[in-house]
């Protein structure tokens, strides 16, 4: 039983050490927030990202503040270069909740417009849906935790097989 506790403690120690080692090698910076978006009929799809610090003061990130956009519509790809006045509106933490009058403002003349909750083109007005994309650090942390749990279950299985034999 004591050996099992030491194995679990070792797994937790290794995981924690990896998190701190990787965390120290990454320079300190504000979080980059990324959202996928699409209209109801999925004729417009894309994603945008911005620095969380850009929305801290006024809930708006602009192209001048580093807003990056990639949108696909009608077989063409559009970016923030197609509309330099693009912006995204969020709450103070950088989150966008659907149907809260928050989101992207992006206009491509003679093509389409996204105005927060609405997509508008020559033939329709539809809703726009936003979904946040998890940041890589969160995925790494969850992976380390999952690996630790997997190792723990495997060692318990091996121990139970050995005691039965």
């Amino acid at each position: 039983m004591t050996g099992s506790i030491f194995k679990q403690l070792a797994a937790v120690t290794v995981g924690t050490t990896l998190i701190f080692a990787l965390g120290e090698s990454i320079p300190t910076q504000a979080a980059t927030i990324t959202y996928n978006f699409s209209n109801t009929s999925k004729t417009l799809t894309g994603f945008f990202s911005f620095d969380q610090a850009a929305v801290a003061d006024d809930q708006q990130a602009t192209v001048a503040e580093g807003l990056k956009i990639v949108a696909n519509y009608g077989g063409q790809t559009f970016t923030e270069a197609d509309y330099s006045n693009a912006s995204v509106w969020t709450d103070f933490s950088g989150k966008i909740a659907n149907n809260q009058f928050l989101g992207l403002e992006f206009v491509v003349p003679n093509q389409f417009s996204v105005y927060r909750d609405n997509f508008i083109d020559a033939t329709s007005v539809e809703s726009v849906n936003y979904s946040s994309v998890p940041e890589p650090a969160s995925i790494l942390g969850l992976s380390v935790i999952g690996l630790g749990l997997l190792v723990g279950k495997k060692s318990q299985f091996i121990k139970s097989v050995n005691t039965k034999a």
Side-chain angles (χ1 to χ4, degrees):
M1 178 163 167
T2 306
S4 175
I5 291 172
F6 285 124
K7 287 180 185 176
Q8 289 177 354
L9 183 60
V12 169
T13 303
V14 168
T16 304
T17 303
L18 282 173
I19 289 172
F20 284 118
L22 292 173
E24 287 187 26
S25 66
I26 300 171
T28 304
Q29 60 186 15
T32 298
I33 299 175
T34 303
Y35 278 90
N36 291 327
F37 66 94
S38 65
N39 63 342
T40 304
S41 65
K42 306 277 191 213
T43 57
L44 171 74
T45 59
F47 66 91
F48 57 87
S49 62
F50 56 93
D51 190 332
Q52 187 175 14
V55 298
D57 57 346
D58 62 358
Q59 297 177 273
Q60 181 185 27
T62 63
V63 172
E65 296 171 313
L67 173 63
K68 301 291 181 200
I69 305 167
V70 176
N72 299 301
Y73 175 75
Q76 293 181 310
T77 300
F78 301 94
T79 68
E80 67 279 353
D82 293 301
Y83 184 60
S84 61
N85 290 330
S87 63
V88 63
W89 289 86
T90 71
D91 65 12
F92 285 108
S93 65
K95 297 197 180 348
I96 297 172
N98 288 317
N99 303 317
Q100 297 293 316
F101 206 60
L102 300 173
L104 184 63
E105 291 182 6
F106 187 53
V107 177
V108 179
N110 302 318
Q111 297 285 328
F112 66 90
S113 298
V114 175
Y115 186 73
R116 301 181 189 186
D117 288 342
N118 295 305
F119 163 81
I120 304 164
D121 69 2
T123 61
S124 66
V125 175
E126 299 179 26
S127 294
V128 176
N129 296 307
Y130 299 96
S131 61
S132 64
V133 176
E135 60 182 281
S138 299
I139 294 171
L140 176 66
L142 290 173
S143 298
V144 169
I145 290 169
L147 183 61
L149 292 173
L150 181 64
V151 167
K153 290 212 181 263
K154 184 176 181 181
S155 64
Q156 285 177 353
F157 175 74
I158 290 171
K159 183 179 178 181
S160 69
V161 169
N162 288 339
T163 56
K164 290 180 183 178

